[in-house]
Amino acid sequence: MFDETLFINEISKIEKKDDGSYIVIRNNIPCHIPYNDEYRQEYNAVEEYIKKNNIKVNTHIQKVYKIIDDNMEENIRSKRDELLKQADIMLMKYQEQVYLNVIEENNEYYTALLQYKQNLRDITKQLDFPDNVIFPVMPEYV
């Protein structure tokens, strides 16, 4: 489940590319948000946030050279692994609380957590990996 408020709150910088897509700094990681079906919710959330808050967005300047970061892929995988651990903790906490009748069972939330974990595992399959990676947002129990 996409949480627009959480997504926007994690963004610290927005730039627009010549092709209309955005480069955002989200949780200190640059992310490319193209205008396509896969990223439609994120793209629309950025557009709405810009309009609602009357933000002047700078044009993203494409570097002519590429800075080679030998650790970029390793750093992204490390962040992904840490998010997977956090998701495992949330999943165990949810299962324990349901079992103890602390909270009611919510199959939609449970499925969303499992899908979130799969989306994290699939990060390496993103088209621009490791240069531009969009991390999924962990679902919240409702």
Side-chain angles (χ1 to χ4, degrees):
M1 176 183 287
F2 178 71
D3 185 337
E4 181 177 330
T5 304
L6 178 65
F7 174 77
I8 290 299
N9 288 337
E10 293 175 341
I11 293 176
S12 61
K13 184 177 181 181
I14 302 172
E15 293 182 344
K16 193 161 193 172
K17 292 180 67 174
D18 290 339
D19 64 1
S21 64
Y22 289 101
I23 300 293
V24 300
I25 304 299
R26 184 167 172 238
N27 292 326
N28 297 319
I29 297 174
C31 302
H32 180 229
I33 303 179
Y35 182 72
N36 63 26
D37 289 339
E38 185 178 354
Y39 298 107
R40 180 85 59 220
Q41 289 179 309
E42 292 89 345
Y43 188 91
N44 290 341
V46 170
E47 288 267 293
E48 186 177 321
Y49 177 75
I50 291 168
K51 288 177 188 171
K52 187 185 288 185
N53 295 289
N54 199 24
I55 295 173
K56 183 183 181 306
V57 177
N58 293 327
T59 302
H60 177 72
I61 310 244
Q62 189 74 33
K63 305 288 187 219
V64 177
Y65 56 91
K66 180 177 177 175
I67 298 173
I68 299 173
D69 180 355
D70 294 334
N71 297 323
M72 185 183 310
E73 186 172 333
E74 182 181 324
N75 291 340
I76 291 170
R77 288 178 189 275
S78 178
K79 178 175 175 58
R80 186 254 338 251
D81 293 346
E82 183 58 38
L83 292 172
L84 278 167
K85 288 177 189 174
Q86 291 174 11
D88 284 338
I89 291 169
M90 293 304 294
L91 192 58
M92 283 191 327
K93 179 180 175 184
Y94 166 78
Q95 290 170 330
E96 289 170 359
Q97 289 180 336
V98 167
Y99 183 79
L100 295 172
N101 293 317
V102 174
I103 60 173
E104 291 184 25
E105 187 171 12
N106 182 331
N107 286 330
E108 185 177 309
Y109 174 71
Y110 181 76
T111 302
L113 265 176
L114 295 177
Q115 184 62 56
Y116 169 75
K117 289 179 63 179
Q118 186 58 48
N119 292 345
L120 285 171
R121 288 186 204 102
D122 290 343
I123 276 179
T124 58
K125 296 177 184 176
Q126 289 184 13
L127 195 56
D128 291 336
F129 178 83
D131 296 323
N132 291 309
V133 174
I134 296 181
F135 282 88
V137 177
M138 185 182 291
E140 292 184 25
Y141 181 81
V142 181

